[in-house]
Amino acid sequence: MSASIAFVFPGQGSQSLGMLAEQAAQHRLIADTFAEASAALGYDLWSLTQQGPEELLNQTDKTQPAILAASIALWRLWLAEGGARPAYVAGHSLGEYSALVAAGSLGFADALRLVELRGQLMQQAVPVGQGGMAAILGLEDVDVIAACAEAAQGEVVSAVNFNAPGQVVIAGSASAVERAIEACKARGAKRAMPLPVSVPSHCALMKPAAERFAASVEALLWQAPQIPLVQNVSAAVVADLARLKSDLLAQLYSPVRWVESMVCLAGLGVTELVECGPGKVLGGLNKRCVKGINTHSLETPDAFAAARAALA
């Protein structure tokens, strides 16, 4: 184990058609992991990630298992290739489930079925078209929060992802999100743009989903994390299983405190962050969250080899 390394796992928005194709061409372990996932889910997940259709891959109950499977495939490859075990793990939103699998707290097949259900319940909580999310760039957190309060007018809209300084995502009822976009622009936001998502994650509209999700979370066999895990809701290391599960439910309707999570890791002595999953979304955010932290990607064979060399 290396005390200076943390693995971070991405959430929705990191998926793309053809993800991990290069890695799969070189490493049988990628295909084997996806075959295991397909058996758990009852459909060919690898085929969906490689051939689409893209609209289906971007459906939240398909996106969530796909990203989790890709992340765990890369995690297994890292360990199989002799990579150092990290001192800490964390995951952005959905990525917290990948982190729980990596930490040995939750079985892979259980996690896949759990996030598939999570996606279904999230979509059911707010029918397509009734909710929305938007990215607000270049505005202080307090100004985004104030703009949402002003724009709510009896509906739900709130700041839900504190991703990096000057980058906040808001979510809520479609009309309230539109009003909040205008309110943020009026306060001087550099950009305020709707996001192409079908579900307004991490806002109060997701509370019914969390209530329906609770029994499924409780029904699984959980273990205490073998690698300390920084959770989204608390932005702190949580070891107590009851607290870990309750925070996981609260995560559905609570903000993702990513900046604070990265500050927490830096305070624990982490200087190297490895993004374990498809895409490079977190790498871009993490550089802006904490100065002096190096970021690495595992998505392609070249990036993987560079990370192995840097962290040997």
Side-chain angles (χ1 to χ4, degrees):
M1 186 191 82
S2 175
S4 63
I5 301 173
F7 267 54
V8 291
F9 297 84
Q12 278 185 252
S14 293
Q15 75 278 8
S16 61
L17 272 186
M19 62 187 185
L20 300 201
E22 282 184 82
Q23 288 282 32
Q26 294 189 21
H27 301 284
R28 175 81 197 177
L29 188 54
I30 304 292
D32 289 347
T33 300
F34 270 86
E36 195 179 323
S38 298
L41 295 165
Y43 64 89
D44 189 339
L45 185 61
W46 180 251
S47 175
L48 175 61
T49 63
Q50 300 306 301
Q51 290 145 33
E54 194 167 17
E55 305 77 52
L56 187 59
L57 178 61
N58 289 339
Q59 202 175 287
T60 189
D61 63 327
K62 299 291 188 290
T63 306
Q64 296 196 32
I67 291 174
L68 188 141
S71 299
I72 296 307
L74 289 172
W75 167 252
R76 289 174 171 181
L77 182 61
W78 177 261
L79 295 181
E81 295 286 306
R85 286 179 72 85
Y88 300 95
V89 293
H92 189 286
S93 185
L94 161 74
E96 196 161 277
Y97 291 82
S98 304
L100 285 162
V101 175
S105 191
L106 190 58
F108 181 44
D110 282 344
L112 286 160
R113 289 187 287 262
L114 196 61
V115 300
E116 179 183 51
L117 175 64
R118 181 178 183 265
Q120 291 166 351
L121 293 175
M122 288 168 72
Q123 193 65 76
Q124 289 164 15
V126 181
V128 175
Q130 291 188 17
M133 298 182 80
I136 312 299
L137 306 182
L139 209 56
E140 295 288 330
D141 293 355
V142 290
D143 291 321
V144 177
I145 292 165
C148 288
E150 174 192 302
Q153 297 175 21
E155 293 186 301
V156 170
V157 62
S158 58
V160 296
N161 289 6
F162 296 96
N163 287 332
Q167 184 175 333
V168 179
V169 174
I170 64 173
S173 305
S175 52
V177 169
E178 285 175 23
R179 291 193 297 271
I181 287 173
E182 295 310 312
C184 287
K185 286 178 180 174
R187 279 174 161 77
K190 287 179 184 169
R191 293 180 75 187
M193 51 202 177
L195 296 174
V197 296
S198 60
V199 169
S201 303
H202 303 295
C203 73
L205 296 176
M206 289 294 115
K207 267 208 159 164
E211 288 161 6
R212 295 177 64 193
F213 194 45
S216 298
V217 168
E218 202 53 53
L220 296 178
L221 181 65
W222 294 79
Q223 306 287 343
Q226 292 160 23
I227 304 171
L229 181 144
V230 175
Q231 279 196 294
N232 290 180
V233 168
S234 61
V237 173
V238 175
D240 177 69
L241 269 183
R243 168 80 185 281
L244 191 144
K245 288 186 277 188
S246 68
D247 278 2
L248 208 56
L249 292 173
Q251 190 221 61
L252 274 169
Y253 56 84
S254 304
V256 174
R257 296 165 61 189
W258 194 249
V259 177
E260 292 170 89
S261 296
M262 295 306 100
V263 170
C264 172
L265 286 172
L268 292 166
V270 169
T271 56
E272 310 287 340
L273 287 172
V274 180
E275 181 166 6
C276 188
K280 295 181 182 175
V281 172
L282 297 182
L285 298 179
N286 295 344
K287 287 176 190 170
R288 294 165 53 204
C289 290
V290 185
K291 290 194 167 37
I293 280 193
N294 300 311
T295 62
H296 310 271
S297 165
L298 302 182
E299 185 181 28
T300 65
D302 286 351
F304 192 101
R308 282 281 289 113
L311 301 176

